[in-house]
């Protein structure tokens, strides 16, 4: 996996200076921690030795040195905690940016299968674990090794026997720590999962609160929530038990080491193999010993968690978007809007089979073609092939005689406007939502587009007019009002090709009339494919195409198809007198 390793390291690239400074500070911090006990040793040993000269002057000097060391230590620690963490955050930002850009490029087929919640947790949690590794990893490793090695060599030089005695403890301590650290880590992962579960539960219940309340099913939701909440407590119990055993055990080991050092040190002093100042120094080093062990364990944990996060990040980044434009993609200066499907075959996935095979259809510039057919016959599918939300797997679709796969995606999609039954509006103001069709539109253009979409009047009646916030997904508007906003959006975009998919199907007849009127205005001089469930709304289409399981089975004007007495005539008769 050398490519991935290179990619992993590449995120350090812009911050190499910061990383070097961070590591430099880490070394300074470790060194100072190691030097301070040596100062104590000098004071308690050489300066206070019986028979030595008046130590006051040198004591003052030592105090000065130690103060300077402590100040440097504090400053370096400050840098590590502040700038080091910032480096992690900046790297996290870079990765997040890359991931989000990549997600935006994925095609509809990707989002058909993806769960928004888990994508979000990738963008947030996974990358956070990774940024912790990026920042703490090198630092913990370095501090851990320097301090550990330092303590070992310094104590060895003071008194080898005592030092080896302490070292004997380490494997035991390490095994203990590793065991509980692993338990703690596993419990932590579990409780994270449980928190995600609760979040999903809350999201689902609150998003569906209207359904919950209308069925008076609050107790049911409460029970589901309580169950998830109880599982959360159980996982926290595991986590805290392991944590208590880990930290408590480490503490006990340190105290045990202290006792051993004191007792054996005292024996050594009796045997004149050690003096008091050495014993004090030794005790100070025993206190320091626990920290590098904790650092190294931390490193092991960040590494594990961060690498898993990185693997998942790369799995996503290495997934090529299903729909891509060629490197030499064309951006035509003007699009006339002539559409032609040539022997198009398509299916969503192999296991679902084909939706249509060898389907051919031409829609001239400015022509209005209506597509009718039973539910599930593939009308929506056909219209989503034209902006390349999915790619055909046989035949081709041409815009102005050019295969749409040779065009840049932005150019293709700029020349197509869609109005669907389900309108997606963003949780901002009316004006912002209309302006989505042309982000640099001035206020006059926005109002003109709203007027043509029969939306100006109702917008002016809203409490803050165009500045009214419309709530999530436009919840504060009626279905007909939402639909007219989505039409205003397309007016502003002003594309030569229009796709209307059951745009009025969910509306009552009153708002249907207002929407229908604005749609007819929208269709003028534009190539239009209109899919309608209510046949009365498409009588005026230039041509009506009937889609069946076998593909296109009839086409012609309303009158011609009625006269033929085929499938369309049958459907029409059904809708007239149900
Ligand atoms: P219509 O709009 O005519 O009612 P659709 O184009 O929505 O029909 O659906 C045509 C067929 O494709 C149906 O069998 C449907 O189950 C299937 N289908 C639609 N969307 C998807 C999708 N995203 N993934 C897999 N199959 C789909
Ligand atoms: Mg449909």
């Amino acid at each position: 996996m050398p490519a991935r390793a290179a990619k992993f390291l590449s995120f350090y690239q812009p911050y190499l200076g910061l990383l070097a400074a961070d590591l430099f500070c880490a070394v300074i911090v470790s060194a100072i921690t190691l030097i301070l006990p040596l100062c104590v040793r000098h004071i308690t040993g050489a300066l206070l030795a019986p028979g030595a000269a008046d130590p006051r002057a040198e004591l003052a000097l030592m105090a000065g040195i130690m103060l300077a060391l402590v100040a440097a230590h504090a400053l370096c620690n400050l840098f590590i905690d502040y700038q080091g963490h910032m480096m992690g955050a900046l790297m996290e930002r870079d990765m997040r940016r890359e991931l989000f850009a990549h997600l935006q490029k994925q095609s509809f087929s990707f989002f058909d299968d993806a769960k928004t919640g888990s994508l979000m947790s990738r963008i947030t949690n996974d990358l956070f674990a990774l940024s912790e590794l990026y920042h703490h990893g090198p630092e913990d490793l370095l501090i851990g090794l320097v301090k550990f090695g330092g303590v070992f060599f310094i104590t060895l030089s003071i008194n080898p026997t005592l030092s080896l005695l302490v070292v004997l403890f380490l494997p035991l301590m390490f095994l203990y720590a590793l065991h509980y650290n692993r338990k703690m880590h596993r419990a932590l992962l579990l409780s994270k999962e449980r928190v995600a579960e609760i979040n999903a539960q809350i999201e689902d219940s609150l998003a569906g609160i209207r359904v919950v309340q209308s069925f008076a099913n609050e107790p049911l939701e409460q029970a589901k929530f309580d169950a998830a909440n109880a599982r959360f407590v159980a996982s926290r119990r595991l986590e805290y038990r392991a944590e208590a055993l880990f930290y408590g055990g480490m503490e006990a080991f340190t105290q045990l080491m202290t006792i051993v050092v004191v007792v054996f040190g005292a024996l050594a002093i009796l045997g004149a193999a050690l003096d008091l100042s050495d014993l004090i120094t030794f005790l100070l080093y025993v206190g320091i010993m626990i920290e590098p062990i904790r650092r190294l364990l931390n490193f092991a944990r960040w590494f594990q968690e961060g690498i898993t996060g990185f693997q998942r990040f790369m799995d996503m980044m290495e997934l090529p978007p299903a729909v891509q434009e060629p490197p030499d993609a064309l951006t035509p200066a003007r699009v006339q809007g002539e559409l032609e499907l040539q022997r198009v075959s398509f299916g969503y996935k192999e296991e679902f089979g084909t939706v249509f095979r060898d389907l051919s259809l031409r829609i001239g510039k400015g022509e209005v073609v209506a597509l009718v057919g039973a539910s599930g016959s593939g009308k929506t599918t056909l219209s989503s092939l034209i902006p390349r939300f999915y790619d055909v797997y046989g035949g081709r679709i041409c815009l102005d005689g050019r295969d749409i796969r040779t065009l840049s995606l932005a150019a293709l999609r700029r020349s197509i406007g869609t109005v669907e039954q389900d309108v997606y509006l963003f949780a901002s103001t009316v004006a912002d939502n209309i302006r989505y069709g042309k982000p640099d539109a001035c206020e006059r253009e926005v109002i003109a587009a709203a007027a043509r979409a029969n939306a100006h009047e109702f917008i002016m009646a809203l409490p803050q007019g165009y500045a009214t916030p419309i709530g999530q997904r436009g919840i504060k508007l009626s279905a007909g009002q939402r639909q007219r906003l989505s039409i205003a959006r397309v007016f502003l975009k002003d594309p030569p090709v229009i796709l209307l998919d059951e745009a009025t199907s969910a509306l009552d007849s009153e708002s249907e009339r207002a929407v229908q009127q604005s749609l007819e205005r929208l269709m003028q001089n534009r190539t239009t494919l209109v899919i309608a469930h209510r046949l009365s709304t498409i009588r005026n289409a230039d041509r009506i195409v009937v889609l069946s399981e076998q593909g296109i089975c009839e086409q012609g004007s309303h009158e011609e198809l009625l006269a033929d007495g085929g499938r369309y005539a049958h459907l029409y008769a059904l809708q007239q007198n149900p």
Side-chain angles (χ1 to χ4, degrees), residues 374-381 383 421 501-502 531:
S375 162
S377 56
K379 305 181 294 295
T380 300
T381 305
S383 79
Q421 180 176 348
D501 189 357
E502 313 250 14
I531 297 168

Side-chain angles (χ1 to χ4, degrees), residues 135-149:
H135 153 228
H136 286 299
E139 181 189 297
D140 277 344
L141 198 60
L142 193 68
I143 296 183
L145 290 177
V146 169
K147 280 195 184 172
F148 197 77

Side-chain angles (χ1 to χ4, degrees), residues 370-405:
L371 195 60
V372 301
S375 162
S377 56
K379 305 181 294 295
T380 300
T381 305
L382 193 147
S383 79
S384 61
L385 293 179
I386 297 171
R388 281 190 80 195
F389 292 143
Y390 301 91
D391 266 343
V392 301
Y393 68 67
R396 58 189 201 139
I397 299 177
C398 294
L399 180 65
D400 293 350
R402 288 198 196 97
D403 190 325
I404 54 174
R405 282 169 295 193

Side-chain angles (χ1 to χ4, degrees), residues 264-281:
F264 283 87
L267 287 177
I269 291 177
L270 286 181
L274 195 74
D275 64 28
L276 193 58
S277 111
D278 284 344
L279 180 58
I280 292 173
T281 314

